[in-house]
Amino acid sequence: MTGVHRQVPKSVDYFDQVSEAAAFLREKLSTLTPLIGIVLGSGLGAVADAITSPVVVAYGEIPHFPQSTVEGHSGRIVAGMLGPVPVVVMQGRVHFYEGYTPEQVTFPMRVLGALGLKAVVLTNAAGGIQEGYRVGQLVALADHINFMGWNPLIGPNEPRFGFATGTGLRFFDMTEAYSKRLRALARETAFGEGFALEEGVYLATPGPSFETPAEVRAFRGLGATLVGMSTVPETIVARHMGLEVLGISCVTNLAAGLGGSQLSHEEVFEAGRQVENRLAGLLTRLLPKVAGLLKAES
Ligand code: HPA
């Protein structure tokens, strides 16, 4: 057998790594059992400051956890209470364009699933494609278009990932990738906070270059109202695990060719900073309602 290595399906090791990371976090969290996860996008870190009795864990401490190389993505987990709701917040995410594999990009989401969460709120910075969108506007995702050219579930299926369903299926429905009822609650809560939360369709590109104006016109033709470089892989694995997903984009800029100026990461980051408090307010009011729904079912 010298020199011959039997190919072990990668998902076997991967599941063990996810379990190890989750076990590490569970020990750190002690008696806290989070119900909902929140992933914060570029410049959108303020929600983490609203967490009481926080347990902070740097990504670098967690076994197998990938670390973000992007400025503005701080790379830590903040777990604790958002009002009356036990949550785990991921401040910063990793992206495909950083050179991570699809499995690494979605590793943190897998770990959230392994912690036993029932729902996740995925936030991101996005370019606005739809006419009428303004910079600083929050948009609830009604659907997405996967334009990344890959799917994080390519490879052997691992049924044990079905944390919330019992079985992670090879083929599963994506008709309601983004939960209708959570979206409705979010819109109602935003209304109560004095702003309108529109619904949109998010198209994910691999990045890291922003789009050309021709690409933006093409994406509009495909039905996209927002464009970004994240979220879609996380949504796919969250649905594979049976978690309910609420997606919220912050329009940090008008997409290329629509705003008249050149795009930069600084602009995206700054626009995120200006709206992060509104997002924090929305989630603080919204999550108790979501928790009420989820608990009534368990
Ligand atoms: N394009 C892609 N990703 C983005 C954008 C954009 O215009 N803005 C924020 N993230």
Side-chain angles (χ1 to χ4, degrees):
M1 282 286 285
T2 46
V4 178
H5 298 279
R6 206 179 128 260
Q7 189 102 41
V8 177
K10 58 184 173 176
S11 58
V12 173
D13 291 337
Y14 186 66
F15 185 84
D16 291 346
Q17 289 179 349
V18 167
S19 305
E20 207 180 310
F24 175 89
L25 275 175
R26 231 176 265 122
E27 193 169 324
K28 287 266 179 198
L29 301 193
S30 169
T31 55
L32 181 82
T33 307
L35 183 67
I36 300 171
I38 305 171
V39 180
L40 298 177
S42 289
L44 299 172
V47 176
D49 302 333
I51 304 292
T52 53
S53 314
V55 176
V56 179
V57 186
Y59 290 172
E61 288 179 57
I62 309 169
H64 316 295
F65 225 75
Q67 286 174 63
S68 178
T69 60
V70 188
E71 227 174 287
H73 282 259
S74 64
R76 57 186 202 156
I77 279 181
V78 182
M81 303 300 289
L82 187 63
V85 186
V87 296
V88 50
V89 177
M90 285 187 36
Q91 214 175 6
R93 56 155 66 89
V94 299
H95 305 80
F96 187 59
Y97 61 72
E98 293 173 78
Y100 290 108
T101 64
E103 284 189 327
Q104 287 173 312
V105 168
T106 50
F107 187 87
M109 189 52 49
R110 292 301 198 184
V111 174
L112 293 188
L115 286 177
L117 305 188
K118 297 287 173 250
V120 284
V121 181
L122 307 180
T123 70
N124 60 53
I129 293 181
Q130 179 162 292
E131 222 167 290
Y133 277 174
R134 285 164 287 101
V135 169
Q137 183 169 349
L138 297 176
V139 180
L141 304 194
D143 210 339
H144 76 217
I145 296 171
N146 182 3
F147 212 78
M148 288 202 159
W150 50 272
N151 185 303
L153 302 179
I154 289 171
N157 183 47
E158 175 50 85
R160 288 178 293 174
F161 276 130
F163 297 115
T165 54
T167 305
L169 298 175
R170 168 81 302 182
F171 304 107
F172 60 94
D173 189 75
M174 287 287 277
T175 309
E176 207 185 311
Y178 299 89
S179 163
K180 230 177 191 167
R181 62 179 193 164
L182 296 194
R183 218 153 74 222
L185 268 187
R187 293 186 66 157
E188 174 195 304
T189 308
F191 189 71
E193 295 278 290
F195 68 95
L197 187 67
E198 281 198 43
E199 295 195 353
V201 176
Y202 178 93
L203 182 145
T205 74
S209 50
F210 290 117
E211 302 67 43
T212 63
E215 285 167 343
V216 170
R217 288 192 297 274
F219 294 162
R220 175 184 278 166
L222 290 177
T225 71
L226 298 153
V227 59
M229 306 172 191
S230 68
T231 305
V232 163
E234 294 160 19
T235 298
I236 293 170
V237 302
R239 298 303 297 144
H240 181 241
M241 299 187 291
L243 273 58
E244 218 168 327
V245 178
L246 174 66
I248 300 180
S249 283
C250 165
V251 178
T252 53
N253 57 279
L254 301 184
L258 301 178
S261 63
Q262 301 219 337
L263 306 185
S264 69
H265 179 64
E266 288 68 34
E267 174 192 3
V268 166
F269 188 73
E270 216 18 69
R273 292 303 296 261
Q274 284 176 18
V275 79
E276 63 178 347
N277 287 331
R278 181 164 350 144
L279 178 68
L282 174 67
L283 295 185
T284 304
R285 307 279 181 293
L286 172 63
L287 262 49
K289 299 183 198 175
V290 174
L293 269 187
L294 297 173
K295 280 195 189 133
E297 287 167 358
S298 63

